[in-house]
Amino acid sequence: MFDFTEEHKMMRKMLRRWVDAELVPHVDALESEAMLPYEPMRKLLKTFGADDMARQTIAKAEERAASGKADGPRGDAEGGMMRDPAMSAITAIEFSRVSPGFAMAVGASLGLCGGAIMKRGTLAQKKRFALPVLTGEKIGAWAITEPGAGTDAFGGMTTVARRVDGGYVLHGAKTFISNAPYADVFVIYAKMEHGDLPMRQRPITAFVLERGAKGLTTGKPMKKMGMWSSPTGEIFLDEVFVPADQLLGEKEKEPSREGARDVFHGERTAMVPMCFGIIERCLEEAIKYAKERKTWDKTIGEYQLVQAKLARMYIAYQNVKSMLFKTLWMEKNGLKMTMGEASSMKAYCAPVTTEVAMEAVQIMGGNGYMREFRVEQLARDAKLLQIGGGTDEIQLVTCARALLQGDMVLG
């Protein structure tokens, strides 16, 4: 797959029109936190019928269950706008051209939280917890990162779940969680109490919690360098009782660490279309400005130093585009990318996106530094892509280990 199909291109045009009409006018309000991203998200789902698609997906799953048939594959299970990987990528691209923070808020709710429940949950959990998230009725958050863990997400995790009559009790804290200040549904990862087994070796299990549970509280939205349109915060778990039917999948024997790794893996590859959208917009704005801005009676695009910047930006655009379509091709053909491959992809795309955005600021000079020209926002937002989902440094380490262990084959 080297390009979008005609159907995808048509959908991209439709989505571009929606973004121009419904998102662009509200970017300043979203950036100032005067407006939350959730109403535009709900309007998006209704406009494109994604909420009804999610309902139909659950209804079909119930029909299969009633007839004794197994639930459908993941592609059917996710439903809505998550059904087609290319459509999901197009959505992230178009949002990220205008507001990467909005893309992150939507992705965290529908993709990370809703997607995790749809993939690992029971039918009852999908209907009770995932469906309201996928229709936009409720907002979801996916919580694994902790104050003292960071990149060592699994080994450094200290949130604990202990078994009690009728369920479990969770104690611990999560931080840097997208949508946490306003989320209604939380997918929380914790280490199961396991005798004398050292904390780092304990099995990790996922639970689905709802706002209002006794002992569950969230902090105020954090003040950040970028991604202002995406509310981020902390989650505090003070002896929170969780009924047994809220253990994701309702089976302890299924290792949730792998489930978390799958979503973590998806979080890394999902950043590629975000990177593509940011780079595409920055390149467009830089080219336009280079053709219009004059110094010493020449457009700045006639100077070789500016031309070199634009050429390097375009090279990055082409490289990220190739990685994007490789990802879509693999998903279309049912191929799973290794963790090393996913890490190498993020290790390239994230920093080059920041570089391209900063070059756009540089080409546009003083205007590029001003908020009204937008590239300064994209530069600030892009920086998080080098940190969230694992830093540049850990991606390089993961990639190198995979090469040395023979997990990635050359040729």
Side-chain angles (χ1 to χ4, degrees):
M1 184 175 183
F2 296 100
D3 199 0
F4 291 119
T5 65
E6 290 304 314
E7 181 181 3
H8 290 146
K9 291 177 181 178
M10 179 181 70
M11 287 300 299
R12 188 178 184 189
K13 289 180 181 179
M14 292 173 60
L15 189 58
R16 177 76 61 89
R17 287 197 293 269
W18 184 90
V19 168
D20 288 341
E22 303 292 344
L23 188 58
V24 170
H26 302 300
V27 170
D28 286 335
L30 289 166
E31 286 289 296
S32 66
E33 299 179 20
M35 180 180 187
L36 294 175
Y38 310 122
E39 280 309 312
M41 182 185 79
R42 294 184 180 105
K43 186 175 289 188
L44 168 82
L45 295 173
K46 289 186 178 298
T47 299
F48 289 93
D51 53 348
D52 286 336
M53 289 172 65
R55 294 186 186 98
Q56 292 169 12
T57 296
I58 296 296
K60 289 179 180 178
E62 289 182 306
E63 290 175 5
R64 286 194 295 266
S67 63
K69 297 179 181 179
D71 200 3
R74 182 183 179 190
D76 291 333
E78 288 186 347
M81 296 188 76
M82 299 289 111
R83 188 187 298 267
D84 181 357
M87 188 60 219
S88 181
I90 288 170
T91 303
I93 290 169
E94 290 302 314
F95 290 167
S96 298
R97 286 172 50 88
V98 173
S99 176
F102 180 76
M104 182 160 288
V106 172
S109 186
L110 302 181
L112 293 179
C113 178
I117 299 171
M118 290 300 286
K119 184 179 181 184
R120 300 280 173 177
T122 63
L123 178 56
Q125 290 173 339
K126 293 174 185 178
K127 184 177 181 180
R128 178 182 172 186
F129 301 112
L131 182 57
V133 169
L134 295 178
T135 59
E137 178 185 344
K138 294 185 177 181
I139 303 304
W142 184 82
I144 188 168
T145 304
E146 298 192 358
T151 298
D152 185 17
F154 299 113
M157 185 181 295
T158 58
T159 296
V160 174
R162 82 174 176 275
R163 301 174 187 85
V164 295
D165 289 341
Y168 307 84
V169 170
L170 270 62
H171 189 86
K174 303 291 181 179
T175 192
F176 305 142
I177 308 302
S178 297
N179 296 331
Y182 305 102
D184 306 293
V185 178
F186 304 82
V187 174
I188 304 283
Y189 289 86
K191 289 191 174 179
M192 190 64 70
E193 194 174 58
H194 207 283
D196 296 329
L197 195 66
M199 183 66 79
R200 295 189 69 87
Q201 299 176 26
R202 292 182 183 179
I204 294 175
T205 306
F207 298 86
V208 186
L209 279 67
E210 292 183 289
R211 183 173 292 278
K214 185 178 179 180
L216 187 156
T217 56
T218 57
K220 294 180 180 180
M222 293 174 162
K223 300 299 181 182
K224 304 171 294 186
M225 173 182 173
M227 295 290 184
W228 294 346
S229 298
S230 174
T232 303
E234 296 172 292
I235 301 171
F236 304 101
L237 305 160
D238 184 10
E239 297 295 296
V240 180
F241 173 72
V242 184
D245 62 0
Q246 290 179 221
L247 169 70
L248 189 60
E250 294 191 34
K251 293 181 180 179
E252 282 188 38
K253 62 181 181 181
E254 295 182 0
S256 290
R257 176 172 293 204
E258 290 307 310
R261 286 189 191 279
D262 284 347
V263 182
F264 222 30
H265 176 286
E267 186 182 22
R268 292 175 180 180
T269 56
M271 286 187 179
V272 178
M274 290 185 67
C275 291
F276 183 79
I278 293 171
I279 290 173
E280 185 177 68
R281 175 70 184 280
C282 286
L283 184 55
E284 288 175 0
E285 295 297 327
I287 292 172
K288 179 182 177 182
Y289 192 83
K291 288 180 177 180
E292 296 174 351
R293 175 77 166 108
K294 288 187 176 182
T295 58
W296 293 286
D297 298 323
K298 294 170 62 176
T299 62
I300 63 172
E302 295 179 68
Y303 295 103
Q304 288 185 341
L305 284 175
V306 173
Q307 292 173 1
K309 291 180 183 294
L310 293 173
R312 285 193 292 268
M313 292 167 72
Y314 181 73
I315 291 169
Y317 169 82
Q318 288 285 62
N319 288 340
V320 172
K321 183 177 182 180
S322 296
M323 291 183 177
L324 170 63
F325 282 106
K326 176 185 176 180
T327 302
L328 295 178
W329 177 84
M330 291 183 73
E331 290 192 49
K332 182 179 179 181
N333 288 277
L335 301 175
K336 187 174 181 179
M337 191 175 294
T338 67
M339 185 61 76
E341 289 176 308
S343 291
S344 66
M345 196 169 284
K346 185 178 183 300
Y348 175 80
C349 292
V352 81
T353 301
T354 302
E355 291 170 12
V356 167
M358 291 301 291
E359 285 287 44
V361 172
Q362 191 68 21
I363 287 172
M364 298 172 70
N367 286 328
Y369 199 68
M370 299 296 113
R371 290 187 181 179
E372 64 182 286
F373 285 83
R374 298 301 175 194
V375 291
E376 67 83 30
Q377 172 204 327
L378 296 177
R380 287 186 290 101
D381 288 353
K383 187 60 184 176
L384 180 63
L385 302 181
Q386 293 185 256
I387 301 169
T391 62
D392 289 350
E393 291 76 16
I394 198 62
Q395 306 305 329
L396 293 172
V397 169
T398 302
C399 179
R401 285 177 179 170
L403 286 169
L404 294 171
Q405 293 170 2
D407 295 336
M408 294 195 295
V409 179
L410 302 180

